[in-house]
Each structure stands twice: as C-alpha cells, then as structure tokens.
C-alpha cells in the first residue's frame, strides 16, 4: 500500500538516481532544476514548494510537488512527477496520482488540479489519463536537447459534493 509523506532532504539522492539518462531527466524536470545530471544541492530547489515522497512500505518509490499557479488557493499544479523505474508498469504511478488527488481535494481543499506532460512521454500521459485527468486545449513548447517538445496541459476537477 502506498502512502504520501513530506519530502525529506535525505530522499534527494534516491530520487535523482531514478533519472538514468538525460532524456528521462528532462521528461520529468523540463530542465527547471538545472542541467543533467543534477546534484542534491540543485534538487534542494524543491524545498521552496510543497514536495512529497511516495513510499511503498518504507521504500521511496515516487516523488511529486504541488504549487499554486497564479496564487490561486483553490487550484493546485502537480509537477516534477517521477516514479522509480523499477516500479513502472505496475499500476503504482496511477496509485500515486490518486493519492496526490485525494490530498489535493480532501486535505488541501482544491477544486482543480492541473499538470503538464510532454507528448513524447506517452507512459506518463496514459497514467494521468487513467487517473482521471483530461486534456486541455492549451499547449506549450519547450526547447529541450535541441528539439521542440510539446507540453500537453491536463486537468481534473473535484467532483461536486452533494
């Protein structure tokens, strides 16, 4: 059973190790933290946002952050989503997203959660779709590794209470 806990500085080396190549690193970081490979010191950037480690038993297997885009208190944006490569394809990514959404809606009180995913990251895209996210018409383009990477915007809204 997966659980969320606040990110701890001791998690940095484990999380960084999940990016086994440059392309994989940029798919989840978009280069915001720096150039591949980053250090634990550069990863400390996440200390300034709401960062979570996802654990299976006592082992860290995933990581993501929340932030408030535009300062809106009722909307959260998920970012820097990464899953231990050994866990991919097991359904744990979807379970991690479901935990993130439960926290966002039930604990934080958000009414909407958004994220962006590069179109060349199909496993992540389909994971987010299976967790309930839908595509928005907006897209962004990033220059990554000398290529243009299209970023698909996705969102999910809290079910009306009643």
């Amino acid at each position: 059973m997966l659980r969320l806990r606040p990110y701890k500085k001791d998690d940095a080396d484990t999380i960084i190790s999940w990016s086994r190549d440059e392309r994989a690193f940029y798919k989840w970081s978009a280069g915001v933290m720096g150039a591949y490979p980053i250090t634990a010191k550069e990863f400390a950037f996440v200390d300034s946002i709401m960062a979570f480690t996802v654990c299976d038993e006592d082992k860290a297997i995933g990581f993501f952050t929340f932030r408030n885009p535009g300062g809106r208190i009722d909307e959260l944006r998920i970012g820097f989503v990464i899953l231990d490569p050994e866990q991919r394809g097991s359904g744990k990514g979807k379970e991690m997203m479901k935990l993130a959404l439960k926290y966002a809606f039930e604990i934080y009180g958000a009414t909407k959660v958004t994220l962006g995913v590069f179109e060349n990251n199909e496993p992540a895209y389909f994971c987010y779709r299976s967790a309930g996210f839908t595509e928005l018409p907006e897209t962004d383009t990033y220059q990554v590794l000398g290529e243009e990477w299209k970023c698909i915007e996705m969102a999910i809204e809290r079910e009306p209470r009643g």
Side-chain angles (χ1 to χ4, degrees):
M1 183 172 127
L2 299 187
R3 64 181 176 81
L4 297 182
R5 68 162 167 74
Y7 163 77
K8 298 176 189 172
K9 290 181 193 302
D10 293 347
D11 298 334
D13 288 332
T14 299
I15 296 163
I16 291 167
S17 77
W18 296 334
S19 294
R20 297 188 176 152
D21 63 62
E22 192 173 25
R23 230 175 154 70
F25 170 73
Y26 288 115
K27 283 183 181 180
W28 71 271
S29 75
V32 172
M33 294 178 197
Y36 177 82
I38 61 168
T39 64
K41 184 176 179 179
E42 290 166 308
F43 192 77
F45 159 81
V46 303
D47 292 341
S48 65
I49 48 184
M50 293 181 278
F52 293 88
T53 300
V54 180
C55 297
D56 190 359
E57 301 297 324
D58 289 330
K59 182 182 181 208
I61 65 150
F63 174 82
F64 68 90
T65 63
F66 282 131
R67 64 181 175 84
N68 294 99
R72 290 189 54 175
I73 193 143
D74 63 335
E75 186 176 321
L76 285 176
R77 183 160 181 90
I78 296 177
F80 304 118
V81 179
I82 185 168
L83 186 69
D84 177 347
E86 303 298 319
Q87 304 296 321
R88 294 183 187 153
S90 67
K92 297 220 172 126
K94 178 181 176 181
E95 191 178 345
M96 178 171 79
M97 287 292 95
K98 291 288 193 179
L99 280 173
L101 291 169
K102 182 178 176 75
Y103 183 93
F105 294 137
E106 295 179 16
I107 306 299
Y108 194 80
T111 58
K112 181 178 182 180
V113 177
T114 63
L115 58 77
V117 60
F118 288 119
E119 69 180 353
N120 64 0
N121 194 353
E122 288 184 0
Y125 172 81
F126 287 112
C127 173
Y128 303 145
R129 289 283 308 244
S130 71
F133 285 88
T134 57
E135 242 180 269
L136 298 174
E138 303 90 34
T139 59
D140 273 325
T141 303
Y142 290 73
Q143 291 295 319
V144 182
L145 299 173
E147 303 169 358
E148 283 194 359
W149 287 13
K150 181 179 167 190
C151 185
I152 300 165
E153 289 295 313
M154 302 183 84
I156 187 170
E157 295 192 28
R158 181 176 64 204
E159 302 267 329
R161 296 180 184 178

